[in-house]
Amino acid sequence: MLDDLIEESRSRRDVFKAIGATALAGALLGSAGFDPAIAQELKPSGKPLKAAMGNAGLQATWCAQGKQAAEAWGKLMNVEITWFDGELSATKQRAAIDNLATQKWDFVALQTFGIGTLNDPIKKVIDSGTPVIAMDTMMAPEGQLALHTFIAPDNIFMGSVVTTEIMKKIGGKGNVIMTQGALGHTGAQGRAKGFKEVVANYPDVKVLDEQPADWDVTKVARIWESLLTKYPDIAGAFFHNDDMALAAHNVMKAKGRTGIVIGGVDAMPPAVNAVLDGTMVATVRNPSSRIHGWAVAAGVAAVTAGEGGKEIPKYIWADGPVITADTAPGNLWLQSNFLM
């Protein structure tokens, strides 16, 4: 079902692309494909809305940027946001969301650390009549929760395009490693699938290791200390996010192994600059600002637009470009203004 929704959404990938500059514009997303009458309802509400938001863990730079973007969009749309940090732990996130579920909110938007880990408290929130928006990764298996919408990138695409660039750079042969995110995170699952689909086309490539590091740079450093000792010949490595890629690069540099071709996902500013200086061969933008900002807009629509709030599709594809020298400067500017 999700694959069908993704395919349908690709035909309208610019649904949320044109974004108004100020709150006074009223229709923040009006020129991005919404019916004008609905767009008029997306102006800031007369009284502040209360929203609960959170993501996997603010230790990850992507998550930290998402919080900043949500708060910036919240100011534009008159939304007071209370943040619930997952702390890169399914257990800690569940405790935070259990607390969230005891309070009253106008809408809730969350990125889960692991699929299906928040079902009970989220069902309680939904049953109270509060719209719930999933961000970046599936909150639960299909049909288990009546979510308002799901805003996410095409993770298979992101995994495949970066892996393709790694394969080109290593000449389609050699030993490679994939360092995964959290295995229960559907975004990580999609990135792994994209990696494997590409590698399957290269019979002279051998995958040495696929350990998860749970987005934790300390864990990545420990894993790569071991991998570099164990394997004297590594041609390339794909990481499920840039934080992990750059943490591993620091270990490689310390051990004099900087010849390993590396690529990641998220296109956070340090990684964009790493592509420009040649440290990384590629990254692809997982648009944190779009995902978190659009979640605020979707929540406002759900609360203030009446029937218009029901026009939001069940899946919204938040796309982002592969980073090259040509696209990097513009991408950095968009990120700095919480637009990408």
Side-chain angles (χ1 to χ4, degrees):
M1 180 179 178
L2 179 59
D3 290 342
D4 293 337
L5 290 170
I6 291 173
E7 189 60 35
E8 177 184 345
S9 295
R10 280 175 175 160
S11 67
R12 49 186 178 179
R13 61 187 293 167
D14 293 328
V15 166
F16 280 127
K17 210 167 191 178
I19 299 171
T22 70
L24 295 177
L28 186 63
L29 305 175
S31 60
F34 275 87
D35 181 280
I38 297 171
Q40 290 301 314
E41 297 300 326
L42 287 175
K43 60 188 177 184
S45 60
K47 64 177 183 179
L49 298 180
K50 291 178 61 179
M53 297 186 69
N55 50 29
L58 295 176
Q59 302 100 307
T61 60
W62 186 90
C63 292
Q65 184 186 65
K67 179 176 183 288
Q68 292 175 329
E71 290 169 344
W73 281 60
K75 289 179 181 178
L76 285 176
M77 304 196 78
N78 203 16
V79 179
E80 296 177 354
I81 296 171
T82 301
W83 203 261
F84 292 82
D85 184 13
E87 299 185 60
L88 298 184
S89 164
T91 302
K92 291 180 180 179
Q93 185 177 51
R94 175 56 186 266
I97 305 310
D98 282 338
N99 177 33
L100 177 158
T102 66
Q103 303 173 58
K104 180 62 179 175
W105 309 98
D106 289 303
F107 67 89
V108 171
L110 295 170
Q111 177 208 32
T112 55
F113 186 76
I115 187 170
T117 58
L118 305 177
N119 282 22
D120 289 344
I122 291 303
K123 187 175 187 302
K124 181 179 177 181
V125 171
I126 293 170
D127 289 347
S128 74
T130 302
V132 175
I133 298 157
M135 301 187 297
D136 183 59
T137 185
M138 288 180 68
M139 191 172 288
E142 294 286 351
Q144 289 190 4
L145 294 172
L147 299 171
H148 190 66
T149 191
F150 174 36
I151 304 173
D154 184 340
N155 284 283
I156 297 174
F157 163 78
M158 293 197 296
S160 65
V161 293
V162 175
T163 304
T164 296
E165 293 303 313
I166 293 170
M167 293 299 108
K168 289 178 183 177
K169 190 70 173 180
I170 67 174
K173 58 184 178 181
N175 297 324
V176 299
I177 287 170
M178 173 173 61
T179 299
Q180 303 192 64
L183 295 182
H185 184 286
T186 60
Q189 293 167 8
R191 293 168 205 182
K193 183 176 181 181
F195 169 83
K196 291 177 181 179
E197 286 179 353
V198 171
V199 169
N201 296 317
Y202 294 89
D204 293 328
V205 168
K206 181 180 180 181
V207 179
L208 300 176
D209 189 89
E210 300 180 358
Q211 288 182 71
D214 300 326
W215 320 114
D216 186 331
V217 295
T218 302
K219 187 177 291 186
V220 169
R222 185 167 62 249
I223 288 172
W224 272 86
E225 285 279 354
S226 175
L227 291 174
L228 293 173
T229 300
K230 184 176 181 180
Y231 299 112
D233 181 16
I234 302 171
F238 170 57
F239 298 84
H240 283 190
N241 78 359
D242 295 328
D243 290 355
M244 296 193 297
L246 293 174
H249 173 73
N250 287 337
V251 179
M252 296 172 194
K253 186 175 180 180
K255 290 184 172 291
R257 300 282 294 277
T258 54
I260 299 172
V261 175
I262 65 173
V265 171
D266 286 344
M268 295 298 294
V272 174
N273 289 319
V275 171
L276 289 173
D277 69 21
T279 299
M280 294 175 64
V281 67
T283 185
V284 60
R285 180 60 177 160
N286 182 10
S288 180
S289 300
R290 281 182 173 176
I291 290 169
H292 290 80
W294 294 356
V296 174
V300 171
V303 175
T304 67
E307 289 301 310
K310 297 179 181 179
E311 297 292 330
I312 298 173
K314 292 298 183 183
Y315 174 77
I316 298 171
W317 181 19
D319 59 345
V322 179
I323 298 304
T324 65
D326 291 333
T327 63
N331 186 268
L332 289 171
W333 181 83
L334 289 168
Q335 287 191 56
S336 70
N337 288 282
F338 304 120
L339 296 174
M340 172 62 76

